[in-house]
Coordinates of all heavy atoms in Angstrom, one line a residue:
M1 N 0.8 -1.2 0.0 CA 0.0 0.0 0.0 C 0.9 1.3 0.0 O 1.8 1.3 0.7 CB -0.9 0.0 1.2 CG -1.8 1.2 1.3 SD -2.8 1.1 2.8 CE -4.4 1.1 1.9
R2 N 0.6 2.2 -0.8 CA 1.3 3.4 -1.0 C 0.9 4.4 0.2 O -0.2 4.6 0.5 CB 1.1 4.0 -2.3 CG 2.0 5.1 -2.7 CD 1.9 5.5 -4.1 NE 2.8 6.5 -4.4 CZ 2.8 7.1 -5.5 NH1 1.9 7.0 -6.4 NH2 3.7 8.1 -5.7
K3 N 2.0 5.1 0.8 CA 1.7 6.1 1.7 C 1.3 7.4 1.2 O 1.8 7.7 0.0 CB 3.0 6.3 2.6 CG 3.4 5.2 3.4 CD 4.6 5.5 4.2 CE 5.1 4.4 5.0 NZ 6.4 4.6 5.6
S4 N 0.4 8.2 1.8 CA 0.1 9.5 1.3 C 1.2 10.5 1.4 O 2.1 10.3 2.3 CB -1.2 10.0 1.9 OG -0.9 10.3 3.3
K5 N 1.2 11.4 0.6 CA 2.3 12.5 0.7 C 2.1 13.2 2.0 O 3.2 13.6 2.6 CB 2.1 13.5 -0.4 CG 2.4 13.0 -1.7 CD 2.4 14.0 -2.8 CE 2.7 13.4 -4.2 NZ 2.7 14.4 -5.2
A6 N 1.0 13.4 2.6 CA 0.8 14.1 3.9 C 1.5 13.2 5.0 O 2.1 13.8 5.9 CB -0.6 14.4 4.2
T7 N 1.2 11.9 5.0 CA 1.8 11.0 6.0 C 3.3 11.0 5.8 O 4.1 11.1 6.9 CB 1.3 9.5 5.8 OG1 -0.1 9.6 5.8 CG2 1.9 8.6 6.8
E8 N 3.8 11.0 4.7 CA 5.3 11.0 4.5 C 5.9 12.4 4.9 O 6.9 12.4 5.6 CB 5.7 10.8 3.0 CG 7.2 10.6 2.8 CD 7.6 10.2 1.5 OE1 6.7 10.2 0.6 OE2 8.7 9.8 1.2
A9 N 5.2 13.5 4.7 CA 5.6 14.8 5.1 C 5.7 14.9 6.6 O 6.6 15.5 7.2 CB 4.8 15.8 4.5
L10 N 4.7 14.3 7.3 CA 4.7 14.3 8.7 C 5.8 13.5 9.3 O 6.5 14.0 10.3 CB 3.3 13.9 9.2 CG 3.1 13.8 10.8 CD1 3.3 15.2 11.3 CD2 1.8 13.2 11.1
R11 N 6.1 12.4 8.7 CA 7.2 11.6 9.2 C 8.5 12.3 9.0 O 9.4 12.3 9.8 CB 7.2 10.2 8.4 CG 8.3 9.3 9.0 CD 8.3 8.0 8.2 NE 8.5 8.1 6.8 CZ 9.7 8.4 6.3 NH1 10.8 8.5 7.0 NH2 9.8 8.5 4.9
V12 N 8.7 12.9 7.8 CA 10.0 13.6 7.6 C 10.1 14.8 8.5 O 11.2 15.0 9.1 CB 10.1 14.2 6.1 CG1 11.2 15.1 5.9 CG2 10.1 12.9 5.1
A13 N 9.1 15.5 8.8 CA 9.1 16.6 9.8 C 9.5 16.1 11.2 O 10.3 16.7 11.9 CB 7.8 17.4 9.8
T14 N 8.9 15.0 11.6 CA 9.2 14.4 12.9 C 10.7 14.0 12.9 O 11.4 14.2 13.9 CB 8.4 13.1 13.2 OG1 7.0 13.6 13.1 CG2 8.6 12.6 14.5
D15 N 11.2 13.3 11.9 CA 12.6 12.9 11.8 C 13.5 14.1 11.9 O 14.6 14.1 12.6 CB 12.8 12.2 10.5 CG 12.3 10.8 10.4 OD1 11.7 10.3 11.5 OD2 12.3 10.1 9.3
V16 N 13.2 15.1 11.1 CA 14.1 16.3 11.1 C 14.2 16.9 12.5 O 15.2 17.3 13.0 CB 13.5 17.4 10.1 CG1 14.2 18.7 10.3 CG2 13.8 16.9 8.7
A17 N 13.0 17.1 13.2 CA 13.0 17.7 14.5 C 13.9 16.8 15.4 O 14.6 17.4 16.3 CB 11.6 17.7 15.0
A18 N 13.8 15.6 15.4 CA 14.6 14.7 16.2 C 16.1 14.8 15.9 O 16.9 14.9 16.7 CB 14.2 13.2 16.2
I19 N 16.4 14.8 14.6 CA 17.8 14.9 14.1 C 18.3 16.2 14.5 O 19.5 16.4 15.0 CB 17.9 14.7 12.6 CG1 17.6 13.2 12.3 CG2 19.3 15.1 12.1 CD1 17.4 13.0 10.7
R20 N 17.6 17.3 14.3 CA 18.1 18.7 14.7 C 18.4 18.8 16.2 O 19.5 19.3 16.6 CB 17.1 19.8 14.3 CG 17.0 20.0 12.8 CD 16.0 21.1 12.5 NE 16.3 22.4 13.2 CZ 16.8 23.4 12.6 NH1 17.0 23.4 11.3 NH2 17.1 24.5 13.3
A21 N 17.5 18.2 17.0 CA 17.7 18.3 18.5 C 18.9 17.5 18.8 O 19.8 18.0 19.7 CB 16.5 17.7 19.1
A22 N 19.2 16.3 18.3 CA 20.4 15.5 18.7 C 21.6 16.2 18.2 O 22.6 16.2 18.9 CB 20.2 14.2 17.9
L23 N 21.6 16.8 17.0 CA 22.8 17.4 16.5 C 23.1 18.7 17.3 O 24.3 19.0 17.6 CB 22.6 17.8 15.0 CG 22.6 16.6 14.1 CD1 22.3 17.1 12.6 CD2 23.9 15.9 14.1
H24 N 22.1 19.6 17.6 CA 22.3 20.7 18.4 C 22.9 20.4 19.8 O 23.7 21.1 20.3 CB 21.0 21.6 18.6 CG 20.8 22.4 17.4 ND1 21.5 23.5 17.0 CD2 19.8 22.4 16.4 CE1 21.1 24.0 15.9 NE2 20.0 23.3 15.5
K25 N 22.4 19.3 20.4 CA 22.8 18.9 21.7 C 24.3 18.5 21.7 O 24.9 18.7 22.7 CB 22.0 17.6 22.1 CG 22.2 17.1 23.5 CD 21.3 16.0 23.8 CE 21.5 15.4 25.2 NZ 20.7 14.3 25.5
R26 N 24.8 18.1 20.6 CA 26.2 17.7 20.5 C 27.1 18.9 19.9 O 28.2 18.6 19.5 CB 26.3 16.4 19.7 CG 25.9 15.3 20.6 CD 25.7 14.0 19.9 NE 25.2 12.9 20.7 CZ 24.0 12.8 21.1 NH1 23.0 13.7 20.8 NH2 23.6 11.8 21.9
G27 N 26.5 20.0 19.7 CA 27.3 21.2 19.2 C 27.4 21.4 17.7 O 28.2 22.2 17.3
Y28 N 26.7 20.6 16.9 CA 26.6 20.8 15.5 C 25.7 21.9 15.1 O 24.7 22.2 15.7 CB 26.1 19.6 14.7 CG 27.1 18.4 14.8 CD1 26.8 17.4 15.8 CD2 28.1 18.2 14.0 CE1 27.7 16.3 15.9 CE2 29.1 17.1 14.1 CZ 28.7 16.1 15.0 OH 29.6 15.1 15.1
T29 N 26.1 22.6 14.0 CA 25.2 23.7 13.4 C 24.5 23.1 12.3 O 25.1 22.4 11.4 CB 26.0 24.9 13.0 OG1 26.8 25.3 14.1 CG2 25.2 26.0 12.5
I30 N 23.2 23.3 12.2 CA 22.4 22.7 11.1 C 21.5 23.8 10.5 O 20.9 24.6 11.2 CB 21.6 21.5 11.6 CG1 20.8 20.9 10.4 CG2 20.6 21.9 12.7 CD1 20.2 19.5 10.7
R31 N 21.5 24.0 9.2 CA 20.7 25.0 8.5 C 19.9 24.3 7.4 O 20.4 23.5 6.6 CB 21.6 26.0 7.8 CG 22.4 26.9 8.8 CD 23.2 28.0 8.0 NE 23.7 27.6 6.8 CZ 24.9 27.0 6.5 NH1 25.8 26.8 7.5 NH2 25.3 26.8 5.2
K32 N 18.7 24.7 7.3 CA 17.8 24.3 6.2 C 18.2 24.9 4.9 O 18.5 26.1 4.8 CB 16.3 24.6 6.5 CG 15.3 24.4 5.4 CD 15.0 22.9 5.3 CE 13.9 22.7 4.3 NZ 14.2 22.7 3.0
Q33 N 18.3 24.2 3.8 CA 18.5 24.8 2.5 C 17.2 25.2 1.9 O 16.3 24.5 2.0 CB 19.2 23.7 1.6 CG 20.5 23.2 2.2 CD 21.5 24.3 2.3 OE1 21.9 24.9 1.3 NE2 22.0 24.7 3.5
P34 N 17.3 26.4 1.2 CA 16.0 26.9 0.7 C 15.5 26.0 -0.4 O 16.2 25.5 -1.2 CB 16.4 28.3 0.1 CG 17.8 28.5 0.5 CD 18.4 27.3 1.1
K35 N 14.2 25.9 -0.3 CA 13.3 25.1 -1.4 C 13.9 23.7 -1.7 O 13.7 23.2 -2.8 CB 13.4 25.9 -2.7 CG 12.7 27.3 -2.5 CD 12.7 28.1 -3.8 CE 12.1 29.5 -3.6 NZ 12.0 30.2 -4.8
Q36 N 14.5 23.1 -0.7 CA 15.0 21.7 -0.9 C 14.8 20.9 0.4 O 14.6 21.5 1.5 CB 16.5 21.7 -1.1 CG 17.0 22.4 -2.3 CD 18.5 22.4 -2.3 OE1 19.2 21.5 -1.9 NE2 19.1 23.5 -2.8
A37 N 14.6 19.7 0.3 CA 14.5 18.7 1.5 C 16.0 18.4 1.8 O 16.4 17.3 1.8 CB 13.7 17.6 1.2
A38 N 16.7 19.4 2.2 CA 18.1 19.3 2.5 C 18.5 20.2 3.6 O 18.0 21.3 3.8 CB 18.9 19.6 1.3
W39 N 19.5 19.7 4.4 CA 20.0 20.5 5.6 C 21.6 20.5 5.6 O 22.1 19.4 5.4 CB 19.5 19.8 6.9 CG 18.0 20.1 7.0 CD1 17.4 21.0 7.7 CD2 17.0 19.3 6.5 NE1 16.0 20.9 7.6 CE2 15.7 19.8 6.8 CE3 17.0 18.2 5.6 CZ2 14.5 19.4 6.4 CZ3 15.7 17.7 5.1 CH2 14.6 18.3 5.5
A40 N 22.2 21.6 5.8 CA 23.7 21.7 5.8 C 24.1 21.5 7.2 O 23.5 22.2 8.1 CB 24.1 23.0 5.3
I41 N 25.0 20.6 7.5 CA 25.4 20.3 8.8 C 26.9 20.7 9.0 O 27.7 20.1 8.2 CB 25.2 18.8 9.2 CG1 23.8 18.5 9.1 CG2 25.7 18.6 10.7 CD1 23.5 17.0 9.2
S42 N 27.2 21.7 9.8 CA 28.6 22.1 10.0 C 29.3 21.3 11.1 O 28.8 21.3 12.2 CB 28.7 23.5 10.3 OG 28.2 24.3 9.2
V43 N 30.3 20.5 10.8 CA 31.1 19.8 11.7 C 32.2 20.7 12.4 O 32.4 20.7 13.5 CB 31.7 18.6 11.2 CG1 32.5 17.7 12.1 CG2 30.6 17.7 10.5
T44 N 32.9 21.4 11.5 CA 33.9 22.3 11.8 C 33.7 23.5 10.9 O 32.9 23.4 9.9 CB 35.3 21.8 11.6 OG1 35.5 21.5 10.3 CG2 35.6 20.5 12.4
P45 N 34.4 24.7 11.2 CA 34.2 25.8 10.3 C 34.5 25.5 8.8 O 33.9 26.1 7.9 CB 35.1 26.8 10.8 CG 35.2 26.5 12.3 CD 35.2 25.0 12.4
N46 N 35.4 24.5 8.5 CA 35.8 24.2 7.2 C 35.2 22.9 6.7 O 35.5 22.5 5.6 CB 37.3 24.1 7.1 CG 37.9 25.5 7.4 OD1 37.4 26.5 7.1 ND2 39.1 25.5 8.0
E47 N 34.4 22.2 7.5 CA 33.9 20.9 7.1 C 32.3 20.9 7.2 O 31.8 21.2 8.3 CB 34.5 19.8 8.0 CG 34.1 18.4 7.5 CD 34.8 17.4 8.3 OE1 35.5 17.7 9.4 OE2 34.7 16.2 8.0
C48 N 31.6 20.6 6.1 CA 30.2 20.6 6.1 C 29.7 19.5 5.3 O 30.3 19.1 4.3 CB 29.7 21.9 5.4 SG 28.0 22.2 5.5
Y49 N 28.6 18.9 5.8 CA 27.9 17.8 5.1 C 26.5 18.2 4.7 O 25.9 19.1 5.4 CB 27.9 16.5 6.0 CG 29.3 16.0 6.2 CD1 30.0 16.3 7.3 CD2 29.8 15.1 5.3 CE1 31.3 15.8 7.5 CE2 31.0 14.6 5.4 CZ 31.8 15.0 6.5 OH 33.0 14.4 6.7
L50 N 25.9 17.6 3.8 CA 24.5 17.9 3.4 C 23.7 16.6 3.6 O 24.0 15.6 3.1 CB 24.5 18.3 1.9 CG 23.2 18.7 1.3 CD1 22.8 20.1 2.0 CD2 23.2 18.9 -0.2
L51 N 22.7 16.8 4.4 CA 21.7 15.7 4.7 C 20.5 16.0 3.9 O 19.9 17.0 3.9 CB 21.4 15.7 6.2 CG 20.3 14.7 6.7 CD1 21.0 13.2 6.5 CD2 19.9 14.9 8.0
T52 N 20.1 15.0 3.0 CA 19.1 15.1 2.1 C 18.0 14.0 2.4 O 18.4 12.9 2.8 CB 19.4 15.1 0.6 OG1 20.0 13.9 0.3 CG2 20.3 16.3 0.3
Y53 N 16.8 14.3 2.0 CA 15.8 13.3 2.1 C 15.4 13.0 0.7 O 15.0 13.8 -0.1 CB 14.5 13.8 2.9 CG 13.5 12.7 3.0 CD1 13.6 11.6 3.7 CD2 12.3 12.8 2.1 CE1 12.8 10.6 3.8 CE2 11.4 11.7 2.2 CZ 11.6 10.6 3.0 OH 10.7 9.6 3.0
Q54 N 15.5 11.7 0.4 CA 15.1 11.2 -1.0 C 13.7 10.6 -0.8 O 13.5 9.6 -0.1 CB 16.0 10.0 -1.4 CG 17.4 10.5 -1.4 CD 17.7 11.6 -2.4 OE1 17.3 11.5 -3.5 NE2 18.4 12.6 -2.0
P55 N 12.7 11.2 -1.5 CA 11.3 10.8 -1.3 C 11.1 9.4 -2.1 O 12.0 8.8 -2.6 CB 10.5 11.8 -2.0 CG 11.4 12.6 -2.9 CD 12.8 12.4 -2.4
A56 N 9.8 9.0 -1.9 CA 9.4 7.7 -2.5 C 9.8 7.6 -4.0 O 9.8 8.6 -4.7 CB 7.9 7.5 -2.3
P57 N 10.2 6.6 -4.5 CA 10.2 5.2 -3.9 C 11.5 4.9 -3.1 O 11.5 3.9 -2.4 CB 10.3 4.3 -5.1 CG 11.1 5.1 -6.1 CD 10.8 6.6 -5.9
I58 N 12.4 5.8 -2.9 CA 13.6 5.5 -2.1 C 13.2 5.6 -0.6 O 13.5 4.8 0.2 CB 14.8 6.5 -2.5 CG1 15.2 6.2 -3.9 CG2 15.9 6.3 -1.5 CD1 16.1 7.2 -4.5
S59 N 12.6 6.8 -0.2 CA 12.3 7.1 1.2 C 13.4 6.8 2.1 O 13.3 6.1 3.1 CB 11.1 6.3 1.6 OG 9.9 6.6 0.8
A60 N 14.5 7.6 2.0 CA 15.7 7.5 2.8 C 16.4 8.7 2.9 O 16.3 9.6 2.2 CB 16.6 6.4 2.2
W61 N 17.2 8.8 4.1 CA 18.0 10.0 4.3 C 19.4 9.7 3.8 O 19.9 8.5 3.9 CB 18.1 10.2 5.8 CG 16.9 10.7 6.4 CD1 15.9 9.9 7.0 CD2 16.4 12.1 6.4 NE1 14.8 10.8 7.4 CE2 15.2 12.1 7.0 CE3 16.9 13.3 5.9 CZ2 14.4 13.2 7.3 CZ3 16.2 14.4 6.2 CH2 15.0 14.4 6.8
V62 N 20.0 10.7 3.1 CA 21.4 10.5 2.6 C 22.3 11.6 3.0 O 21.9 12.8 3.0 CB 21.3 10.5 1.0 CG1 22.7 10.3 0.4 CG2 20.3 9.4 0.5
L63 N 23.5 11.3 3.4 CA 24.5 12.2 3.9 C 25.6 12.4 2.8 O 26.2 11.4 2.4 CB 25.1 11.7 5.2 CG 26.0 12.7 6.0 CD1 25.2 14.0 6.3 CD2 26.5 12.1 7.2
H64 N 25.8 13.6 2.3 CA 26.8 13.8 1.2 C 27.9 14.7 1.8 O 27.6 15.6 2.7 CB 26.0 14.7 0.1 CG 24.9 14.0 -0.5 ND1 25.0 13.0 -1.4 CD2 23.6 14.1 -0.3 CE1 23.8 12.6 -1.8 NE2 22.9 13.2 -1.1
P65 N 29.1 14.6 1.4 CA 29.6 13.7 0.4 C 29.8 12.3 1.0 O 29.9 12.1 2.2 CB 30.9 14.3 0.0 CG 31.4 15.0 1.1 CD 30.1 15.5 1.8
Q66 N 29.7 11.2 0.1 CA 30.0 9.9 0.5 C 31.5 9.8 0.8 O 32.2 9.9 -0.2 CB 29.4 8.9 -0.5 CG 28.0 9.1 -0.8 CD 27.1 8.4 0.3 OE1 27.5 7.5 0.9 NE2 25.9 8.9 0.3
S67 N 31.9 9.4 1.9 CA 33.4 9.2 2.2 C 33.5 8.4 3.5 O 32.6 8.0 4.1 CB 34.1 10.6 2.3 OG 33.7 11.2 3.6
N68 N 34.7 8.1 3.8 CA 35.0 7.2 4.9 C 35.7 8.1 6.0 O 36.4 7.6 6.9 CB 35.9 6.0 4.7 CG 35.2 5.0 3.8 OD1 34.0 4.8 4.0 ND2 35.9 4.4 2.9
E69 N 35.5 9.5 6.0 CA 36.1 10.3 7.0 C 35.5 10.0 8.4 O 34.3 9.7 8.5 CB 35.7 11.8 6.6 CG 36.4 12.2 5.4 CD 37.9 12.3 5.4 OE1 38.4 12.7 6.5 OE2 38.5 12.0 4.4
P70 N 36.3 10.1 9.4 CA 35.8 9.8 10.8 C 34.7 10.7 11.2 O 33.7 10.3 11.8 CB 37.1 10.0 11.7 CG 38.2 10.0 10.7 CD 37.7 10.3 9.4
N71 N 34.7 12.0 10.8 CA 33.6 12.9 11.2 C 32.3 12.6 10.6 O 31.3 12.6 11.2 CB 34.0 14.4 10.9 CG 35.0 15.0 11.8 OD1 35.2 14.5 12.9 ND2 35.7 16.1 11.4
R72 N 32.4 12.1 9.3 CA 31.2 11.7 8.7 C 30.6 10.5 9.3 O 29.4 10.4 9.5 CB 31.5 11.4 7.1 CG 30.2 11.1 6.4 CD 30.4 10.6 5.0 NE 29.2 10.4 4.2 CZ 28.4 9.3 4.3 NH1 28.9 8.3 5.1 NH2 27.4 9.1 3.6
Q73 N 31.5 9.5 9.6 CA 31.0 8.3 10.3 C 30.4 8.6 11.6 O 29.3 8.0 12.0 CB 32.2 7.3 10.4 CG 32.7 6.8 9.1 CD 31.7 6.2 8.1 OE1 30.8 5.4 8.6 NE2 31.7 6.5 6.8
T74 N 31.0 9.4 12.4 CA 30.4 9.8 13.7 C 29.0 10.5 13.4 O 28.0 10.2 14.2 CB 31.3 10.8 14.4 OG1 32.6 10.2 14.5 CG2 30.7 11.2 15.7
L75 N 28.9 11.4 12.5 CA 27.7 12.0 12.2 C 26.7 11.1 11.7 O 25.5 11.1 12.2 CB 27.9 13.1 11.2 CG 26.8 14.1 10.8 CD1 26.3 14.9 12.1 CD2 27.3 15.1 9.7
L76 N 27.0 10.2 10.8 CA 26.1 9.2 10.4 C 25.5 8.3 11.4 O 24.4 8.0 11.5 CB 26.8 8.4 9.2 CG 25.9 7.4 8.5 CD1 24.8 8.0 7.7 CD2 26.8 6.6 7.5
T77 N 26.4 7.9 12.4 CA 26.0 7.0 13.5 C 25.1 7.8 14.3 O 24.0 7.2 14.8 CB 27.3 6.6 14.2 OG1 28.1 5.9 13.4 CG2 26.9 5.7 15.4
L78 N 25.3 9.0 14.6 CA 24.4 9.9 15.5 C 23.0 10.0 14.8 O 22.0 9.8 15.5 CB 25.0 11.2 15.7 CG 24.1 12.3 16.4 CD1 23.8 11.8 17.8 CD2 24.9 13.6 16.4
I79 N 23.0 10.2 13.5 CA 21.7 10.3 12.8 C 20.9 9.0 12.9 O 19.7 8.9 13.1 CB 21.9 10.9 11.4 CG1 22.4 12.3 11.4 CG2 20.6 10.7 10.6 CD1 22.9 12.7 10.1
Q80 N 21.6 7.9 12.5 CA 21.0 6.6 12.6 C 20.5 6.2 14.0 O 19.4 5.7 14.1 CB 22.0 5.5 12.1 CG 22.4 5.5 10.7 CD 23.5 4.6 10.3 OE1 24.4 4.2 11.1 NE2 23.5 4.2 9.0
N81 N 21.3 6.5 15.0 CA 20.7 6.2 16.3 C 19.5 7.0 16.8 O 18.6 6.6 17.4 CB 21.9 6.4 17.4 CG 23.0 5.4 17.3 OD1 22.8 4.3 16.7 ND2 24.2 5.7 17.8
T82 N 19.6 8.3 16.3 CA 18.4 9.2 16.5 C 17.2 8.6 15.8 O 16.1 8.6 16.5 CB 18.7 10.6 16.1 OG1 19.8 11.1 16.7 CG2 17.5 11.5 16.3
L83 N 17.3 8.2 14.5 CA 16.2 7.7 13.8 C 15.6 6.3 14.4 O 14.5 6.1 14.4 CB 16.5 7.5 12.4 CG 16.6 8.9 11.6 CD1 17.2 8.6 10.2 CD2 15.4 9.7 11.7
A84 N 16.6 5.6 14.9 CA 16.2 4.3 15.5 C 15.4 4.4 16.8 O 14.7 3.6 17.1 CB 17.5 3.4 15.8
K85 N 15.6 5.6 17.5 CA 14.9 5.9 18.8 C 13.5 6.3 18.5 O 12.6 6.4 19.4 CB 15.6 6.8 19.6 CG 16.9 6.3 20.2 CD 17.7 7.3 20.9 CE 19.1 6.9 21.3 NZ 19.8 7.8 22.1
Q86 N 13.2 6.7 17.2 CA 11.8 7.1 16.8 C 10.8 5.9 16.9 O 11.3 4.8 16.8 CB 11.8 7.7 15.4 CG 12.6 8.9 15.2 CD 12.0 10.1 15.9 OE1 11.0 10.1 16.5 NE2 12.7 11.2 15.7
P87 N 9.6 6.2 17.1 CA 8.6 5.1 17.0 C 8.8 4.3 15.8 O 9.1 4.7 14.7 CB 7.2 5.8 17.1 CG 7.5 7.1 17.7 CD 9.0 7.4 17.3
K88 N 8.5 2.9 15.9 CA 8.7 2.0 14.8 C 8.1 2.5 13.4 O 8.6 2.2 12.4 CB 8.1 0.7 15.1 CG 8.8 0.0 16.3 CD 9.5 -1.2 15.9 CE 10.1 -1.9 17.1 NZ 11.4 -2.1 16.9
T89 N 7.0 3.2 13.5 CA 6.3 3.7 12.2 C 7.1 4.8 11.5 O 6.9 5.1 10.3 CB 4.9 4.1 12.4 OG1 5.0 5.2 13.4 CG2 4.1 3.0 12.9
T90 N 8.1 5.4 12.2 CA 8.8 6.4 11.6 C 10.3 6.2 11.3 O 11.0 7.1 11.0 CB 8.7 7.7 12.5 OG1 9.3 7.5 13.7 CG2 7.3 8.2 12.6
I91 N 10.8 4.9 11.4 CA 12.2 4.7 11.1 C 12.5 4.8 9.6 O 11.8 4.3 8.8 CB 12.6 3.2 11.7 CG1 12.5 3.2 13.1 CG2 13.9 2.9 11.1 CD1 12.8 1.9 13.8
S92 N 13.6 5.5 9.3 CA 14.0 5.8 8.0 C 15.4 5.2 7.8 O 16.2 5.0 8.7 CB 14.1 7.2 7.8 OG 12.9 7.8 7.9
K93 N 15.7 4.9 6.6 CA 17.1 4.4 6.2 C 18.0 5.7 6.1 O 17.6 6.7 5.7 CB 17.1 3.7 4.9 CG 16.2 2.4 4.9 CD 16.3 1.7 3.5 CE 15.1 2.2 2.8 NZ 14.9 1.7 1.4
V94 N 19.3 5.5 6.4 CA 20.3 6.5 6.2 C 21.4 5.9 5.6 O 21.9 4.8 5.9 CB 20.7 7.1 7.6 CG1 21.7 8.1 7.3 CG2 19.5 7.7 8.3
S95 N 21.9 6.5 4.5 CA 23.2 6.1 3.8 C 24.1 7.1 3.6 O 23.8 8.3 3.6 CB 22.8 5.3 2.5 OG 22.2 6.2 1.7

C-alpha cells in the first residue's frame, strides 16, 4: 500500500525535529537549505555535510559527500541512532 504525501511529510518533519535536536545537543550547526529537502550540517568551520531526504520510492536519508572520513562516520552514526529511537512507524534508512 502506498503512503500518502501528507503522511510522508509528517514523518519527515518528525525525523528532522529529532535529528536537529540531537545534532544541536552535540554542538553541530544545522541549516535548512532553501526550497529543498536538505540540511547543511557544519562539523567544523571548514567541514560541512549535506543531509537530504530522498522521497518515495527511495524514502531514505542520505548524507553527502559519501566518504570514509571519521567525522562523517560519527555524524552518520548519530543520525542513525536518533532515527532508531523514533517510534517504529517512523524509522528511515540513512546512507
Side-chain angles (χ1 to χ4, degrees):
M1 176 179 247
R2 191 172 183 190
K3 294 180 184 177
S4 73
K5 288 183 181 181
T7 302
E8 187 172 12
L10 180 59
R11 183 181 58 77
V12 170
T14 303
D15 287 354
V16 167
I19 292 168
R20 286 179 62 103
L23 293 174
H24 280 294
K25 185 176 182 181
R26 286 166 182 79
Y28 292 98
T29 303
I30 184 168
R31 291 183 330 267
K32 171 77 172 83
Q33 298 299 296
K35 299 181 183 181
Q36 299 176 34
W39 292 261
I41 302 169
S42 297
V43 177
T44 64
N46 297 325
E47 188 175 8
C48 188
Y49 292 94
L50 188 66
L51 179 66
T52 61
Y53 181 74
Q54 302 296 314
I58 300 170
S59 298
W61 291 96
V62 181
L63 189 61
H64 302 281
Q66 302 282 336
S67 67
N68 290 325
E69 294 293 323
N71 284 339
R72 183 188 185 278
Q73 296 303 320
T74 302
L75 187 58
L76 186 59
T77 301
L78 176 61
I79 293 168
Q80 289 173 333
N81 290 342
T82 300
L83 292 174
K85 292 177 185 176
Q86 297 288 0
K88 295 248 184 230
T89 56
T90 63
I91 291 180
S92 299
K93 298 179 266 183
V94 176
S95 60

